[in-house]
Amino acid sequence: MNDAIREELLINTKKWIYQAGDNIREQMEQAFKIDTKSNANDLVTDVDRATEQFFVENIKANYPDHKLIGEEGYGDKVESLDGIVWIIDPIDGTMNFVHQKRNFAISIGIYHDGIGEIGLIYNVMDDVLYTAVKGQGAYRNDTRLKPLNDEVRLETSIIAMNSIIACENKRINEKKIQQLIIDSRGTRSYGSAALEFAFLAEGIIDAYLTMQLAPWDFAAGFILVNEVGGITVQANGNPIDLLHNNTILTCNKQIYERLMNDYIELK
């Protein structure tokens, strides 16, 4: 992808993401329908659906040859990453959106032949936009993010994880995760994978571990973390798969080996 195409895509996507944020804030003040998907805690609202439709309509009107993967199913049936593919989560952190009316984000990753070109994560209620362009760094609004701290140690690290990992997950050695909680400086759970990736890129947490994310949960964050020198892999160390669900470890490279060798053991 050449620089002119990247610049055009970035300008348009920023415009649409701010418009979508305005729409969400307006719709939050009105009654909206809440449904469940895979289970009682997997929520979706009319606002999620309307936001995804907004992006699909704009993308298809301007870039009819591009493909689109969206959480709510308004995109295409995508079986390969050839060409330009948009991967969108209209509201990442729907439970937070419903219960807290904060701590949720719009997440958009744009890929060309499987390579992450542009990532945007918009913290809607805080009006903070994280952006990354391949080879051009990452930004929090207009401020460029610094490379991740190369002096971080596990003992001084803040680790984000889904709280269910430490007590109920059958796919990971829970005793080692409990030891990680003891050995690290602290743990956090924000309820939005996109924001957890953004916070890692910003350097306010040092790792994020979860046992299941869909591509729309991490597509933008993967690009953002790459641009500040972080690493994102499946929890077994394999490369991530942008077409299927993944376990995910994203972290500062300084603690990657320690996390993988001492604490993350899949069953």
Side-chain angles (χ1 to χ4, degrees), residues 40-43 91 93-102 191:
N41 295 325
D42 186 8
L43 305 182
I91 297 181
T94 300
M95 188 180 294
N96 290 349
F97 169 71
V98 170
H99 286 272
Q100 302 174 349
K101 292 186 166 51
R102 65 185 68 248

Side-chain angles (χ1 to χ4, degrees), residues 10 14 17-18 105-108 118-124 126-133 137-143 145 194-204 220-221 224:
L10 182 62
K14 280 186 173 181
I17 214 166
Y18 281 127
I106 301 170
S107 175
I108 300 177
I118 298 170
L120 300 97
I121 296 171
Y122 184 43
N123 186 336
V124 175
D126 288 352
D127 191 26
V128 172
L129 179 62
Y130 298 88
T131 62
V133 177
Y139 291 78
R140 182 188 189 275
N141 291 332
D142 295 324
T143 302
L145 297 177
L195 288 180
E196 282 158 320
F197 271 87
F199 295 160
L200 172 61
E202 192 176 352
I204 59 178
L224 200 70

Side-chain angles (χ1 to χ4, degrees), residues 12-193:
N12 282 337
T13 310
K14 280 186 173 181
K15 177 178 69 175
W16 297 333
I17 214 166
Y18 281 127
Q19 289 174 347
D22 288 340
N23 294 340
I24 290 171
R25 287 186 289 265
E26 289 177 8
Q27 291 174 79
M28 284 176 64
E29 302 305 318
Q30 307 166 17
F32 53 81
K33 184 180 179 182
I34 304 170
D35 295 318
T36 60
K37 294 189 287 186
S38 62
N39 60 65
N41 295 325
D42 186 8
L43 305 182
V44 62
T45 71
D46 289 346
V47 185
D48 296 75
R49 297 186 180 106
T51 303
E52 184 162 304
Q53 286 179 316
F54 169 82
F55 285 115
V56 171
E57 289 169 2
N58 279 283
I59 293 164
K60 292 300 184 181
N62 288 271
Y63 306 107
D65 295 333
H66 293 190
K67 293 180 287 187
L68 191 147
I69 299 171
E71 178 174 13
E72 308 312 333
Y74 295 105
D76 304 304
K77 183 176 175 58
V78 177
E79 296 181 346
S80 91
L81 294 171
D82 295 343
I84 296 179
V85 180
W86 299 61
I87 306 178
I88 296 176
D89 194 337
I91 297 181
D92 183 71
T94 300
M95 188 180 294
N96 290 349
F97 169 71
V98 170
H99 286 272
Q100 302 174 349
K101 292 186 166 51
R102 65 185 68 248
N103 299 323
F104 61 89
I106 301 170
S107 175
I108 300 177
I110 304 176
Y111 286 74
H112 182 223
D113 291 338
I115 304 299
E117 297 283 351
I118 298 170
L120 300 97
I121 296 171
Y122 184 43
N123 186 336
V124 175
M125 300 311 292
D126 288 352
D127 191 26
V128 172
L129 179 62
Y130 298 88
T131 62
V133 177
K134 181 177 178 290
Q136 298 179 25
Y139 291 78
R140 182 188 189 275
N141 291 332
D142 295 324
T143 302
R144 183 163 183 158
L145 297 177
K146 298 177 182 178
L148 295 182
N149 184 352
D150 61 5
E151 296 182 357
V152 163
R153 298 178 296 111
L154 191 284
E155 290 76 12
T156 60
S157 294
I158 301 293
I159 312 294
M161 62 178 74
N162 188 314
S163 59
I164 200 170
I165 287 176
C167 56
E168 297 179 18
N169 199 285
K170 307 302 184 191
R171 300 178 61 190
I172 196 166
N173 187 326
E174 67 275 8
K175 291 191 180 300
K176 289 196 172 186
I177 293 300
Q178 289 165 6
Q179 191 61 48
L180 172 60
I181 293 170
I182 293 168
D183 292 346
S184 64
R185 177 160 282 173
T187 57
R188 300 289 185 271
S189 181
Y190 294 96
S192 165

